[in-house]
Amino acid sequence: MPNSNAKFRCNHRGGQEASRRELVSRSLQSAQHCLEDQDFGTAYAHYLLVLNLAPELKTSVKETFQFTLFKWAEELDSLARIQDLFNCYEQALELYPNDEVICNSMGEHLFRMGFRDEAAGYFHKAVKLNPDFADAKENFYRVANWLVERWHFIMLNDTKRNLTYLKAIENAVRSGCKSVLDIGTGTGILSMFAKKAGASFVYACELSKTMYELACDVVAANNMEREIKLLHLKSLDIEIPKHIPERVSLVVTETVDAGLFGEGIVESLIHAWEHLLLQPK
């Protein structure tokens, strides 16, 4: 009897595998017919079924799947079915999470719809996945021109201003301020000043996703990614100990410009003083 049961289970598994292969084969044929008829939505659905049933085919059907996705996305876009379009890209990225072509295409749709910060994230990921991907690099630089305010470049090239910040931070750290929070870090320059000055713990927050990712790259390029904790957060949302372990002894910021009140810096500094900064004894 045990041998009989084992044989039954083996035959059952064999039957399931044969059924799976048959369904995959039929779905592939149906997808091809749909593509010939330019029925991209149905073809996309067939490819989703195939890839979920037969992950081993991901490499062989990748290019055709991409083509089908992009054509179907164009139709959804023209019909203003935006949520369906995003759902398709989310499904595709679950199947191909490290596909730079799909990431770049998703970014292009987001950019056209006005979601520039989100688009920059996908372009940035595409470039990270493939630094030689010319289309993604061009798209990232284009969206960066929209998102990186011009005053960033002016400030970064203001040597006198930067040296003044550096000296002030060095003096504060030498006087005993060993933990630092940089509000609105931008490129991360003040955080790096603090770390080079000898601060034991440096935290930096940045609300803009594009600037946050840029800061991550700049900090990593300076070999400080393990020494500076970057937070993609508004300073008002920072919680202790969820985001930083304890109150800091120094808060620095370079967000004071003509947009003082629009940037909410007053509220941010009040919040930092009341909740994040060590109080004098």
Side-chain angles (χ1 to χ4, degrees):
M1 183 66 82
N3 290 336
S4 176
N5 288 337
K7 184 176 180 180
F8 172 79
R9 287 194 296 271
C10 183
N11 290 337
H12 180 66
R13 285 195 296 271
Q16 286 183 321
E17 177 60 22
S19 297
R20 182 186 74 90
R21 288 198 300 267
E22 177 66 18
L23 181 56
V24 167
S25 177
R26 288 185 179 181
S27 293
L28 283 172
Q29 291 175 8
S30 297
Q32 190 59 45
H33 290 319
C34 289
L35 287 178
E36 291 170 0
D37 295 335
Q38 296 190 348
D39 182 0
F40 300 114
T42 306
Y44 175 76
H46 280 300
Y47 277 118
L48 280 184
L49 177 62
V50 168
L51 290 168
N52 279 287
L53 286 174
E56 66 274 13
L57 297 179
K58 281 184 178 181
T59 301
S60 60
V61 304
K62 180 178 176 179
E63 289 187 10
T64 311
F65 175 77
Q66 287 175 343
F67 172 80
T68 306
L69 168 66
F70 301 156
K71 286 294 186 181
W72 179 225
E74 288 176 8
E75 284 191 24
L76 292 173
D77 193 9
S78 68
L79 296 169
R81 292 172 56 184
I82 306 306
Q83 189 56 57
D84 289 336
L85 184 152
F86 288 153
N87 289 342
C88 286
Y89 273 96
E90 287 175 2
Q91 293 167 338
L93 286 170
E94 284 180 6
L95 292 166
Y96 296 97
N98 296 317
D99 188 286
E100 70 274 19
V101 178
I102 295 176
C103 285
N104 183 65
S105 180
M106 176 66 157
E108 289 175 338
H109 282 287
L110 287 165
F111 184 78
R112 283 195 295 271
M113 293 173 192
F115 300 108
R116 291 171 182 152
D117 211 27
E118 293 81 356
Y122 281 97
F123 294 145
H124 184 260
K125 182 178 180 181
V127 174
K128 284 283 191 182
L129 290 168
N130 182 1
D132 297 324
F133 189 6
D135 287 349
K137 286 197 290 187
E138 181 180 344
N139 284 331
F140 180 68
Y141 294 144
R142 179 161 55 105
V143 75
N145 283 330
W146 285 89
L147 293 172
V148 180
E149 300 288 349
R150 291 297 159 205
W151 50 263
H152 276 290
F153 301 106
I154 297 171
M155 287 162 53
L156 287 171
N157 287 284
D158 189 339
T159 303
K160 184 177 179 180
R161 176 189 176 105
N162 292 336
L163 290 176
T164 301
Y165 267 103
L166 175 59
K167 185 175 181 180
I169 291 171
E170 286 177 341
N171 289 339
V173 171
R174 287 169 185 165
S175 68
C177 296
K178 295 300 183 182
S179 55
V180 180
L181 171 64
D182 179 6
I183 294 177
T185 192
T187 58
I189 187 170
L190 298 188
S191 295
M192 292 188 290
F193 283 172
K195 194 63 198 178
K196 287 182 178 179
S200 302
F201 306 99
V202 180
Y203 312 98
C205 64
E206 175 56 55
L207 181 59
S208 165
K209 183 174 176 60
T210 301
M211 293 308 300
Y212 164 76
E213 292 179 343
L214 178 60
C216 289
D217 286 345
V218 172
V219 168
N222 285 272
N223 300 313
M224 293 186 181
E225 66 270 29
R226 295 183 179 179
E227 300 174 318
I228 297 173
K229 182 176 181 180
L230 289 158
L231 303 167
H232 180 213
L233 283 173
K234 191 176 182 180
S235 61
L236 295 172
D237 295 330
I238 295 176
E239 298 177 15
I240 297 172
K242 182 178 179 181
H243 301 115
I244 60 177
E246 57 188 2
R247 288 173 178 257
V248 297
S249 52
L250 177 66
V251 171
V252 297
T253 185
E254 202 174 9
T255 51
V256 180
D257 72 342
L260 174 63
F261 295 101
E263 292 181 12
I265 187 60
V266 173
E267 292 85 352
S268 296
L269 292 177
I270 290 173
H271 175 76
W273 172 260
E274 293 179 344
H275 301 286
L276 307 175
L277 188 65
L278 286 171
Q279 299 298 312
K281 296 181 179 179

